[in-house]
């Protein structure tokens, strides 16, 4: 199997060892671990903890995409991101920074003004300008399978087909590095989420780095009758991360960096 890499500021980041992407919320409306007032101090405290715990990538988002949420206006998303990006770039200039946004204009500003390294678009390119924007910017792009999957279709096959088709479009437009996110929790039933996790290895056929966003999601806390932030939900997340790594995940996008690093270290001894 080929070694998967992406280009970050002229240097190759290898996924020979899986990476941890830390979620840094510059929003008051996340389903887990929101800011209280979106201040530089809050962002820096969360980033400092993530880096201390071993995060490989810092993923900053300023517009909640939790189920049922109403996206903030573009101007407010950028106001929040500007606070966060300026603080992180000033204090941690060497950090690999990903920006979680579905808006092409926000992506462009984040890269051009603050040197964001990766664009993480959970909407699968809902903004018609996004694909061309990331092609122009030359940054790695995280493509998420956001489309609903029919109930009578094997979910891993449908996700693979979607990722293969869209990544081909992206590559032809000039995007050199595409990371595939199968989209756990987005337009998928609980049953489909678990089926996808069980067959995650099918996505290896795309020959792209695979990111999984499983951390503290409702597929765990709802059937367990717990809260998103509970220790029980973290235990379920850890179990899911173990399965994901065994099935070829390259990036774990998480709230709990130290726990994710421990899972990677442990699972690496068995595969």
């Amino acid at each position: 199997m080929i070694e998967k890499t992406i280009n970050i500021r002229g240097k190759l980041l290898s996924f020979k060892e899986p990476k941890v992407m830390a979620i840094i919320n510059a929003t008051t409306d996340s389903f887990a671990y929101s800011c209280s007032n979106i201040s530089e101090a809050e962002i820096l405290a969360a980033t400092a903890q993530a880096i201390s715990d071993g995060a490989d990538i810092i993923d900053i988002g300023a517009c909640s995409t939790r189920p049922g949420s109403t996206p903030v206006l573009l101007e407010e998303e950028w106001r929040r991101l500007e606070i966060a990006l300026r603080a992180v770039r000033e204090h941690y200039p060497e950090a690999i920074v990903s920006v979680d946004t579905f808006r092409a204009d926000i992506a462009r500003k984040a890269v051009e003004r603050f040197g964001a390294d990766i664009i993480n678009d959970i909407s699968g390119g809902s903004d018609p300008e996004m694909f061309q924007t990331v092609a122009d910017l030359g940054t790695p792009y995280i493509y998420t399978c956001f489309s609903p999957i029919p109930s009578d279709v094997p979910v891993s096959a449908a996700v693979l087909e979607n990722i293969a088709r869209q990544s081909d479009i992206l590559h032809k437009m000039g995007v050199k590095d595409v990371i595939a996110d199968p989209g756990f929790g987005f337009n998928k039933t609980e049953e489909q989420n678990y089926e996808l996790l069980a067959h995650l290895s099918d996505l290896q056929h795309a020959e792209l780095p695979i990111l999984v966003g499983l951390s503290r999601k409702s597929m765990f806390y709802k059937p367990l009758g717990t809260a998103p932030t509970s220790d029980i939900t973290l235990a379920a997340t850890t179990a899911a991360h173990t399965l994901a790594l065994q099935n070829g995940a390259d990036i774990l996008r998480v709230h709990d960096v130290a726990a994710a690093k421990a899972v990677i270290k442990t699972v690496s001894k068995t595969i």
Side-chain angles (χ1 to χ4, degrees):
M1 183 179 294
I2 61 170
E3 181 178 345
K4 301 175 188 176
T5 62
I6 59 173
N7 189 318
I8 301 290
R9 287 178 254 166
K11 296 182 180 179
L12 291 182
L13 177 67
S14 170
F15 296 105
K16 187 174 182 179
E17 177 180 300
K19 307 303 181 190
V20 171
M21 173 184 277
I23 298 168
I24 304 296
N25 285 321
T27 173
T28 57
D29 190 31
S30 177
F31 76 95
Y33 304 117
S34 298
C35 284
S36 59
N37 60 7
I38 314 174
S39 66
E40 178 178 323
E42 279 188 299
I43 298 297
L44 286 177
T47 303
Q49 186 65 60
I51 290 174
S52 175
D53 287 342
D56 302 290
I57 303 167
I58 301 298
D59 188 48
I60 304 173
C63 179
S64 177
T65 54
R66 66 172 177 79
S69 65
T70 300
V72 296
L73 295 177
L74 183 149
E75 293 77 13
E76 175 61 14
E77 182 183 1
W78 179 246
R79 184 192 73 80
R80 297 171 176 184
L81 266 178
E82 209 170 14
I83 294 169
L85 288 170
R86 181 176 288 112
V88 171
R89 275 294 182 232
E90 181 178 339
H91 289 83
Y92 301 99
E94 299 305 313
I96 298 175
V97 174
S98 167
V99 170
D100 177 3
T101 185
F102 58 88
R103 291 168 167 145
D105 187 57
I106 296 288
R108 184 177 294 280
K109 287 180 180 178
V111 174
E112 292 181 344
R113 300 187 189 183
F114 293 101
D117 299 297
I118 300 169
I119 298 303
N120 179 16
D121 176 10
I122 63 89
S123 77
S126 63
D127 185 331
E129 300 298 321
M130 181 62 90
F131 283 12
Q132 190 58 59
T133 296
V134 291
D136 294 343
L137 293 170
T139 55
Y141 175 66
I142 301 172
Y143 171 79
T144 302
C145 179
F146 192 82
S147 303
I149 308 297
S151 59
D152 59 343
V153 175
V155 65
S156 62
V159 170
L160 175 61
E161 190 277 333
N162 176 273
I163 287 171
R165 182 180 68 254
Q166 296 300 94
S167 63
D168 184 59
I169 292 170
L170 284 158
H171 285 140
K172 287 178 178 176
M173 293 180 73
V175 180
K176 294 180 174 62
D177 292 316
V178 179
I179 298 167
D181 179 347
F184 287 100
F186 293 111
N187 286 319
K188 297 174 184 67
T189 66
E190 183 180 301
E191 182 180 355
Q192 287 177 325
N193 283 324
Y194 279 99
E195 180 185 343
L196 180 57
L197 179 58
H199 296 278
L200 189 67
S201 60
D202 292 350
L203 303 191
Q204 294 295 332
H205 294 293
E207 297 186 343
L208 298 172
I210 297 169
L211 177 150
V212 296
L214 290 161
S215 185
R216 296 183 176 272
K217 287 200 167 178
S218 62
M219 61 185 282
F220 307 124
Y221 67 78
K222 283 187 176 179
L224 292 170
T226 59
T229 54
S230 75
D231 289 343
I232 293 174
T233 303
L234 175 57
T237 298
T238 299
H241 282 160
T242 301
L243 292 170
L245 290 168
Q246 290 173 333
N247 281 289
D250 299 293
I251 306 172
L252 303 180
R253 182 178 181 272
V254 306
H255 298 91
D256 309 276
V257 174
K261 294 292 284 191
V263 174
I264 290 172
K265 185 174 182 179
T266 302
V267 172
S268 68
K269 296 180 182 297
T270 68
I271 56 176

